[in-house]
Amino acid sequence: MSEQKVKLIRHTPEPEKAVAAAAKLCYSDIGAMELEENLSDEDAGSFIAMLMNMGHMSPIEHAVFTFAIEGVSRALSHQLVRHRIASYSQQSQRYVTEDSFDYVIPPSINESPEALEIFSKALEAIQTAYNELRGILAPEFEKQLIAEGQTEKKAKDNAEKMANEDARFVLPNATETKLVFTMNARELLHFFGQRCCNRAQWEIRSLAEEMVVILKPIAPTIFKNAGPPCLRGACPEGSMSCGKQAQVALRYKMLDERL
């Protein structure tokens, strides 16, 4: 069973100063380099707060953040990559053999002995099927490639990748994956608005909330109100609202206390 891990591995140095200098440049007769030199953290924060209150969000796109995540499912990664204003690098199931794949267990299944038994048996059967498919396919691909003129070593290496490529079709959404992804601050706020919502899928919501905790100390003004829309006003989900705005607010108060 995989444990979700998230780490901020790179980000724009002094992101709020970079954003403030970029924004001030639009109204200044001096350059951004000189503007940044004269900016204090307090000045940068107050200027960004004013911009964001006015709805001027484009300057915060200059702050960029790169995360590494592990112990997440393919179900999560399929949701994550829907956020298109971002860059992604994901562990390949063609080049990495899943001969002993790890997986994510939903809490509802993990807490039910009956459900967990069904889930575990299904994953064991999938692992067996994957390994057997690779065992059948790799030798066949190797013979084919040798017949086409490849050396034995090259044919064997390529056949392994080809076998992985086709055997992976039996792997489940639960399969653990690893990613690196980069988003700018504006897209991150949009991501948090969608994925911190109580109606978001539990796994990606857990990831989003941990990212909020990581980012707030680094860019406190930009991410001051990061989270679901109901923290800032009425729930936009209408009749589909979870109806738990007070509980959500309490959860985010507790997250802030971790900082």
Side-chain angles (χ1 to χ4, degrees):
M1 179 178 174
S2 292
E3 179 184 353
Q4 186 180 103
K5 298 177 183 177
V6 55
K7 182 179 181 181
L8 180 65
I9 59 174
R10 293 289 186 278
H11 64 82
T12 302
E14 297 184 283
E16 296 199 338
K17 281 189 176 181
V19 168
K24 281 179 173 289
L25 176 66
C26 300
Y27 313 101
S28 176
D29 58 358
I30 62 174
M33 289 181 281
E34 185 176 348
L35 285 167
E36 188 181 31
E37 288 175 2
N38 296 324
L39 269 175
S40 67
D41 291 338
E42 293 75 15
D43 289 340
S46 60
F47 188 71
I48 291 170
M50 179 192 70
L51 287 175
M52 295 180 71
N53 287 336
M54 294 169 63
H56 293 179
M57 302 296 286
S58 61
I60 69 171
E61 294 174 15
H62 291 290
V64 176
F65 302 82
T66 299
F67 288 89
I69 60 174
E70 300 179 8
V72 298
S73 71
R74 284 262 167 175
L76 181 149
S77 70
H78 293 331
Q79 297 174 78
L80 181 61
V81 298
R82 292 175 186 170
H83 295 271
R84 296 185 297 277
I85 306 174
S87 299
Y88 299 97
S89 297
Q90 184 170 10
Q91 187 179 65
S92 172
Q93 288 183 330
R94 293 180 66 197
Y95 293 92
V96 178
T97 301
E98 301 279 11
D99 53 357
S100 182
F101 72 86
D102 208 346
Y103 48 85
V104 175
I105 305 176
S108 61
I109 293 177
N110 199 42
E111 292 165 7
S112 167
E114 182 181 8
L116 183 59
E117 183 179 2
I118 294 170
F119 185 85
S120 300
K121 285 181 178 178
L123 288 178
E124 288 172 11
I126 289 171
Q127 181 70 85
T128 299
Y130 174 85
N131 293 343
E132 289 179 352
L133 284 169
R134 287 192 69 258
I136 294 168
L137 295 173
E140 293 299 320
F141 283 132
E142 186 175 350
K143 289 177 187 177
Q144 174 187 325
L145 294 172
I146 289 173
E148 292 172 0
Q150 293 190 14
T151 65
E152 287 189 12
K153 183 180 185 307
K154 186 175 182 181
K156 183 176 177 61
D157 289 343
N158 287 335
E160 291 289 333
K161 296 182 183 69
M162 294 167 72
N164 286 352
E165 185 174 50
D166 288 352
R168 66 179 172 168
F169 276 74
V170 300
L171 294 172
N173 274 339
T175 306
E176 188 262 356
T177 190
K178 300 174 177 63
L179 299 97
V180 171
F181 65 96
T182 301
M183 292 183 181
N184 67 52
R186 188 177 189 178
E187 177 62 12
L188 281 164
L189 289 175
H190 170 71
F191 173 74
F192 296 143
Q194 298 292 311
R195 304 301 181 173
C196 291
C197 173
N198 219 34
R199 296 187 65 244
Q201 187 254 359
W202 63 268
E203 187 184 14
I204 200 167
R205 184 173 67 244
S206 173
L207 171 67
E209 288 181 348
E210 188 61 29
M211 290 167 61
V212 169
V213 171
I214 291 170
L215 289 172
K216 277 194 171 185
I218 296 168
T221 306
I222 292 174
F223 296 109
K224 178 181 178 181
N225 296 315
C230 65
L231 294 179
R232 302 179 292 279
C235 173
E237 297 288 328
S239 63
M240 298 180 71
S241 172
C242 71
K244 299 178 180 179
Q245 187 170 354
Q247 292 94 316
V248 172
L250 179 60
R251 186 167 77 246
Y252 273 81
K253 181 180 178 182
M254 293 173 66
L255 288 177
D256 284 340
E257 290 173 355
R258 291 174 53 186
L259 304 178

